[in-house]
Amino acid sequence: MKNILVTGGAGFIGSNFVKHMLATYNYKIINLDLLTYAGNLENLKEVQDHPNYTFIKGDIRDRKLVNSIFEEYKITQVVNFAAESHVDRSIEDPEIFLLTNVLGTQALIDAAKANWKVDPENKYSKEYKKDVKFLQVSTDEVYGTLDATGMFKETTPLAPNSPYSASKTSADLIVRAYNETFGLPINITRCSNNYGPYQFPEKLIPLMINNCKKNSKLPVYGDGMQIRDWLHVKDHCTGIDTVFHKGKIGEVYNIGGNNEKANIEIVKLILKELGKSEELIKYVKDRPGHDRRYAIDNTKITTELGWSPSYTFEQGIRETIKWYIDNEHWMNNVTSGDYMKYYEQMYK
Ligand code: NAD
Ligand code: TYD
């Protein structure tokens, strides 16, 4: 039996991952989430009474709490999703990004190190590899930006440009260092932009769908020609599952599905799908330090671990648009309260 501590499991990707794992395996899942503005227990309604599922509200930085969870639930693996995740917020107020993403990850991995009692001398032994693992969910944003050509490989130098990506890079490197120095069994995944159900509407796709539905303007940063490499969240979850089970200890794996799209293409596609006019598009001031292009080379995970994505972008984006339209109640709930304050402040 595995007792997996999933952190940030009430957020967008974490909640999809918790549901994927409960549906696929007979593992105990302990979800530790602080329920910040981005965490929402409604995302987990279907599994809240599942016998293998436990929810704990708390902070990954709370060392006492995290240690007590390791002890009480005999945690054997960690999948760390918990983070502040939005670039624009990190530009407004970077500090919480460093506190949560860097110090939070360190507090968590310290608990793993203390509780798993790994032997640094024994780092490459096949023995313990099977027993415990700390999987850090990192991002392709650690690589910085690309010109029109080239792709991010796992060996591409790290050159983050936003406070968000700098904090994720620090966390990524701390996790790597705990393997090198203390022999802690780890993997790091670096995935491209996700889309799909339950994404908080501060991110491009759900924000545009929501505005479109309300006939509000669609704020496109700069010239709209920035490129992101999109992956359906369920494919990200199977990618993490693959690395969780088959990843070679100490290794980093990129996850991506070769789906590069310019932002403006996505915005126009959403408008078309919802039968709205392109007059709703409004070009606004560009994001400072805006990365121009992301593109993931997924050769390592596809050839070494046999993972491949199952969604085409065309199928995935249609299903996603439909999901947000069908789940108006979810959208209304998450956009009530502080969301409008955020929106006014950010897009004034
Ligand atoms: P999200 O913002 O939707 O969810 C983050 C979750 O973490 C929320 O449930 C929040 O309550 C929780 N959280 C925040 N601070 C916490 C703390 N101190 N202690 C415990 N819980 C805390 O983010 P997401 O889009 O689901 O991203 C999840 C992870 O995947 C992040 O680490 C992010 O960097 C990474 N990632 C995201 C993408 C993407 O496209 N969204 C792509 C690659 C990697
Ligand atoms: P986002 O979803 O914030 O993800 P990330 O910055 O992590 O890639 O943004 C995706 C792209 O869309 C990015 O190039 C910024 C752009 N964007 C807009 O043009 N307008 C918006 O209102 C938002 C939220 C993003």
Side-chain angles (χ1 to χ4, degrees):
M1 190 66 179
K2 295 187 194 308
N3 302 319
I4 309 170
L5 176 61
V6 175
T7 67
F12 165 48
I13 307 172
S15 62
N16 277 286
F17 183 74
V18 165
K19 286 182 274 192
H20 164 80
M21 293 300 273
L22 288 170
T24 316
Y25 304 103
N26 184 25
Y27 298 155
K28 297 261 187 237
I29 304 287
I30 296 91
N31 174 12
L32 172 65
D33 195 299
L34 187 59
L35 299 181
T36 67
Y37 78 92
N40 183 358
L41 288 180
E42 207 184 325
N43 301 355
L44 292 155
K45 252 192 349 248
E46 300 113 272
V47 294
Q48 66 189 10
D49 299 320
H50 195 293
N52 281 345
Y53 175 67
T54 306
F55 174 72
I56 299 165
K57 182 175 186 294
D59 194 327
I60 56 167
R61 289 173 292 168
D62 183 343
R63 287 172 180 266
K64 212 165 140 218
L65 171 69
V66 171
N67 262 313
S68 73
I69 295 172
F70 267 81
E71 280 166 20
E72 181 177 350
Y73 295 94
K74 310 220 169 344
I75 298 300
T76 49
Q77 285 86 10
V78 176
V79 183
N80 183 25
F81 291 94
E84 289 292 332
S85 70
H86 192 40
V87 174
D88 292 329
R89 289 185 193 254
S90 82
I91 295 168
E92 291 294 300
D93 187 5
E95 190 180 8
I96 186 68
F97 284 73
L98 272 76
L99 294 174
T100 297
N101 300 359
V102 186
L103 297 181
T105 300
Q106 196 223 341
L108 202 56
I109 202 165
D110 269 345
K113 174 174 164 276
N115 283 275
W116 293 342
K117 300 182 177 63
V118 294
D119 174 5
E121 297 303 317
N122 203 20
K123 167 163 157 183
Y124 298 110
S125 137
K126 288 200 174 67
E127 228 50 61
Y128 75 76
K129 277 189 198 164
K130 289 188 250 89
D131 299 327
V132 294
K133 182 181 279 189
F134 189 102
L135 194 155
Q136 171 70 4
V137 181
S138 190
T139 163
D140 64 350
E141 300 193 28
V142 300
Y143 298 118
T145 187
L146 291 165
D147 302 331
T149 57
M151 294 181 111
F152 297 135
K153 288 183 182 304
E154 288 81 355
T155 50
T156 300
L158 308 187
N161 291 317
S162 70
Y164 161 69
S165 54
S167 68
K168 288 295 292 184
T169 307
S170 308
D172 181 312
L173 292 177
I174 275 292
V175 172
R176 177 183 179 280
Y178 272 54
N179 173 249
E180 290 292 330
T181 304
F182 306 118
L184 196 87
I186 64 108
N187 279 128
I188 296 166
T189 57
R190 298 184 185 144
C191 189
S192 56
N193 285 63
N194 284 211
Y195 68 96
Y198 302 102
Q199 186 168 32
F200 193 78
E202 63 188 351
K203 306 280 175 21
L204 180 76
I205 291 178
L207 184 142
M208 295 298 170
I209 297 171
N210 189 37
N211 283 19
C212 214
K213 225 182 63 193
K214 296 188 307 186
N215 290 315
S216 304
K217 291 287 183 193
L218 309 189
V220 173
Y221 299 163
D223 64 2
M225 290 306 291
Q226 304 84 1
I227 289 171
R228 296 292 181 264
D229 188 353
W230 294 94
L231 186 73
H232 194 283
V233 64
K234 290 193 175 156
D235 283 330
H236 187 185
C237 292
T238 61
I240 295 172
D241 174 349
T242 303
V243 174
F244 179 88
H245 286 101
K246 299 204 236 164
K248 211 171 136 224
I249 291 304
E251 293 291 313
V252 176
Y253 294 92
N254 281 349
I255 307 179
N258 296 318
N259 263 307
E260 287 182 56
K261 304 273 176 223
N263 294 338
I264 191 68
E265 264 184 89
I266 306 245
V267 169
K268 287 185 177 169
L269 192 151
I270 292 170
L271 282 165
K272 186 157 173 241
E273 203 59 30
L274 294 176
K276 298 289 169 84
S277 156
E278 289 188 9
E279 281 171 17
L280 281 180
I281 295 172
K282 184 174 179 206
Y283 289 92
V284 299
K285 194 160 139 289
D286 208 353
R287 173 190 278 174
H290 200 167
D291 289 333
R292 194 67 183 166
R293 176 171 165 258
Y294 300 149
I296 278 275
D297 181 335
N298 67 8
T299 308
K300 185 171 173 181
I301 190 171
T302 54
T303 59
E304 291 182 18
L305 305 186
W307 172 84
S308 59
S310 63
Y311 282 83
T312 62
F313 185 73
E314 289 62 33
Q315 174 206 358
I317 193 74
R318 281 212 174 89
E319 276 184 34
T320 299
I321 296 170
K322 184 172 179 321
W323 188 88
Y324 285 99
I325 299 303
D326 292 348
N327 289 272
E328 200 177 7
H329 176 71
W330 182 90
M331 184 63 91
N332 289 343
N333 278 353
V334 299
T335 53
S336 64
D338 282 346
Y339 179 79
M340 282 321 292
K341 246 193 276 165
Y342 162 81
Y343 193 88
E344 296 303 330
Q345 157 82 9
M346 202 63 85
Y347 293 91
K348 65 180 180 287

